[in-house]
Amino acid sequence: MAERSSFVVVANRLPVDEVIVDGERQWRPSPGGLVTALHPVLTQHRGTWIGWAGGDGEAPEPFELEGINIHPVPLSAEELERYYEGQSNATIWPLYHDAVETPVYKRRWREAYRMVNQRFAQAAAEVAEEGATVWVQDYQLQLVPAMLREMRPDLRIGFFLHIPFPPIELFMQMPFRAEILRGLLGADLVGFQQRLAAQNFVRLARHLLGLRYEGQSIQVDGRKVKAGAFPISIDTADMERMAADPKVQARAKEIRAELGDPETVILGVDRLDYTKGIELRLKAFRELLADGKLKVPDAVMVQVATPSRERVEHYQTLRVKVEREVGRINGEFGKVGMPAVHYLHQSYSKQELAAMYVAADVMMVTPLRDGMNLVAKEYVACRSDRGGALVLSEFAGAATELRQSFLCNPHDPDGVKDALLRAVAAEPAELKRRMRVMQRHLRTHDVAEWARSFLNELGVPETDAAPD
Ligand code: ADQ
């Protein structure tokens, strides 16, 4: 039987990667903001992380890694297709992102989602000690809080949604909308990236279930469910340290040289996802080249598009469109040995990404809708030289905090072009001033502070989520 814990994290993925060493399976921690932030709390409480280990079929036995109990949950190939690619990524993901792609609704996906959520809830019920705290993460597991409360009313349950929560009009499209809402209301605290999302949630509770609320607190079956905004962040100090490393600095220079030492390097770094606004960014760049406002080789663009959800149809279509646009721009404006856009459909280490951030004069983050967007924050944290300009969509959660960026409306191509040109032309003194304010903000609002404030609000007694 698995060891019991007083602090349990439930997330779709485990924070580990499988590696094969000498033909033998081993696990190593996968780097990520969430696990960095929660590591101190998890080790303090001999905590357990419940999640999927990747792969289909039987799950590995629970094991311990760096002081955390790892509790794998199995997913079959069919469940992966229905619960993960289907209901999570072809229904909920587009619906919660303003339906920028049309959500697909299928009964058998919903059934799989229910079944898998039940499995995660069951696992949490088994490993949680009497009165333990369980923190459920993200849109794949919205039914877990209520399922868990039903089995274990003694638990303190938190839920955090990493993506936006849509306005009532959109949410009402969802076929099993009341079940999802009741699922979330099983938590004691439901956290969102933005105040607006929390407001959407409490209003929805009244609209759909007739529940009363006061401020951000909803009355449900004699309980109080709190909603609130807890904007997630990055490990700022770690990112700053990494970018300041002489190896990373040297690599940044090398990248610029490899690009032909242009005057202006414009960078985009995103998962290849239709919410990220990659196409519109490329189009803005193409139009500026066509207008003669930017010229190759003085200005070049680097677009990193990390492979993502490649079996979901929306993503396959997007890849074709993006690659066609890159081909078009390079065909029209590139020269021999000098492409206008360097397109990289690859994953990179954090060090290499940091070097790219240091090398870029302008960072373009132009999602049509984004819960937060950590790339924007990473770029700012990497610029200890206080150089560089951030062009940021108003529709990214990060825009609420990074007010000194060059904000734009990604739905307005002229607005995007204008913001990009202003960023390219800005004086170094102005860029420094903007960077300084944003960096100061990120130093106090890092991912440890995010975890601490959520757990504090949830009432976890020991809230030294991460020591300073
Ligand atoms: P994502 O949609 O994945 O996250 P984002 O917040 O930008 O978006 O995080 C992406 C992360 O992946 C960044 O840390 C970035 O450095 C990394 N990354 C991107 N491309 C990479 C590459 N080629 N190689 C290696 N690493 C790469 C979801 C929500 C966001 C929310 C986060 C956290 O959609 O809105 O900010 O969760 O809550």
Side-chain angles (χ1 to χ4, degrees):
M1 184 165 155
E3 196 173 328
R4 295 191 138 213
S5 297
S6 60
F7 185 72
V8 180
V9 172
V10 189
N12 178 57
R13 280 304 297 252
L14 284 168
V16 294
D17 286 326
E18 188 180 340
V19 279
I20 305 291
V21 180
D22 298 332
E24 224 180 84
R25 179 161 77 182
Q26 290 186 6
W27 299 96
R28 60 152 199 239
S30 70
L34 194 58
V35 64
T36 315
L38 297 179
H39 200 267
V41 206
L42 282 160
T43 45
Q44 236 170 64
H45 295 82
R46 276 202 78 69
T48 298
W49 190 305
I50 295 170
W52 172 55
D56 54 37
E58 250 178 66
E61 284 300 308
F63 58 95
E64 200 211 296
L65 191 68
E66 297 190 350
I68 304 176
N69 297 317
I70 301 289
H71 192 100
V73 171
L75 289 179
S76 69
E78 190 180 88
E79 284 164 349
L80 262 177
E81 188 203 320
R82 295 180 178 182
Y83 143 80
Y84 182 68
E85 290 163 1
Q87 183 64 25
S88 299
N89 287 325
T91 305
I92 297 169
W93 178 270
L95 182 68
Y96 282 26
H97 286 87
D98 288 355
V100 294
E101 279 290 348
T102 310
V104 182
Y105 301 111
K106 290 201 177 162
R107 278 194 200 98
R108 58 173 187 277
W109 291 356
R110 289 201 284 284
E111 278 149 23
Y113 186 86
R114 215 175 266 138
M115 221 157 75
V116 171
N117 272 245
Q118 186 68 45
R119 188 174 306 147
F120 275 79
Q122 184 73 43
E126 279 164 21
V127 304
E129 263 175 32
E130 178 72 26
T133 299
V134 180
W135 192 359
V136 184
Q137 307 284 328
D138 227 358
Y139 64 103
Q140 303 92 349
L141 301 174
Q142 293 173 94
L143 302 178
V144 169
M147 288 170 164
L148 188 54
R149 180 166 300 281
E150 172 88 28
M151 288 182 265
R152 293 287 306 274
D154 59 298
L155 300 176
R156 191 193 323 250
I157 305 172
F159 181 92
F160 184 75
L161 187 70
H162 291 254
I163 67 174
F165 192 77
I168 295 177
E169 300 79 38
L170 271 176
F171 188 87
M172 294 303 280
Q173 280 190 19
M174 182 96 83
F176 70 146
R177 57 201 186 189
E179 194 178 332
I180 292 261
L181 180 58
R182 280 199 205 95
L184 292 169
L185 288 167
D188 297 294
L189 174 64
V190 186
F192 300 90
Q193 304 272 26
Q194 295 286 300
R195 194 145 15 114
L196 209 66
Q199 272 167 16
N200 286 344
F201 179 71
V202 291
R203 288 193 189 130
L204 179 73
R206 182 177 63 189
H207 179 84
L208 193 55
L209 302 176
L211 297 174
R212 288 219 316 243
Y213 67 86
E214 221 185 289
Q216 305 278 64
S217 194
I218 309 168
Q219 293 288 341
V220 189
D221 310 329
R223 289 188 302 123
K224 249 195 200 161
V225 177
K226 278 191 276 182
F230 302 88
I232 201 166
S233 194
I234 55 168
D235 186 343
T236 311
D238 187 55
M239 206 72 215
E240 284 180 350
R241 252 192 314 272
M242 197 185 298
D245 184 328
K247 278 199 228 102
V248 169
Q249 290 288 330
R251 176 68 192 130
K253 286 211 181 75
E254 196 174 87
I255 292 172
R256 286 193 76 99
E258 284 166 0
L259 292 169
D261 275 323
E263 271 167 39
T264 310
V265 175
I266 301 165
L267 177 67
V269 173
D270 316 78
R271 272 187 311 98
L272 186 48
D273 193 297
Y274 51 82
T275 60
K276 302 290 182 185
I278 301 170
E279 283 172 276
L280 67 93
R281 182 184 315 160
L282 288 168
K283 185 163 175 255
F285 184 54
R286 170 164 56 77
E287 289 191 8
L288 287 172
L289 291 172
D291 299 345
K293 302 236 167 81
L294 292 177
K295 284 195 182 63
V296 180
D298 302 347
V300 297
M301 182 161 176
V302 178
Q303 176 64 55
V304 176
T306 322
S308 181
R309 305 175 190 167
E310 291 179 290
R311 299 201 317 186
V312 179
E313 202 183 323
H314 289 139
Y315 290 76
Q316 294 163 356
T317 323
L318 173 74
R319 182 170 177 188
V320 171
K321 286 201 251 172
V322 165
E323 294 184 356
R324 191 184 299 143
E325 183 66 38
V326 170
R328 178 176 172 188
I329 298 175
N330 284 336
E332 282 179 34
F333 302 100
K335 300 186 187 348
V336 174
M338 286 178 206
V341 181
H342 296 250
Y343 169 72
L344 306 159
H345 185 242
Q346 297 162 36
S347 269
Y348 291 96
S349 66
K350 268 264 143 42
Q351 279 81 359
E352 181 70 4
L353 277 187
M356 290 192 201
Y357 293 144
V358 173
D361 300 293
V362 180
M363 180 82 214
M364 302 245 347
V365 179
T366 55
L368 295 164
R369 176 62 76 190
D370 213 330
M372 176 53 63
N373 197 295
L374 297 179
V375 167
K377 292 188 169 180
E378 289 167 359
Y379 178 69
V380 170
C382 280
R383 300 311 301 243
S384 55
D385 60 325
R386 307 248 164 85
L390 173 65
V391 172
L392 181 60
S393 159
E394 293 163 9
F395 292 78
T400 313
E401 296 168 80
L402 305 179
R403 304 303 298 170
Q404 289 71 27
S405 56
F406 292 84
L407 290 169
C408 65
N409 171 5
H411 299 278
D412 168 18
D414 294 329
V416 177
K417 283 162 69 178
D418 180 57
L420 176 52
L421 279 184
R422 282 191 293 120
V424 170
E427 292 295 329
E430 183 192 343
L431 295 179
K432 276 207 170 90
R433 189 169 43 75
R434 289 175 183 250
M435 272 295 169
R436 190 178 306 125
V437 180
M438 294 193 286
Q439 285 174 350
R440 206 178 295 143
H441 175 82
L442 290 183
R443 288 205 183 114
T444 46
H445 296 77
D446 64 359
V447 72
E449 174 54 28
W450 166 77
R452 195 183 289 136
S453 61
F454 184 93
L455 292 174
N456 245 325
E457 189 68 34
L458 185 57
V460 176
E462 199 60 27
T463 47
D464 46 343
D468 288 318

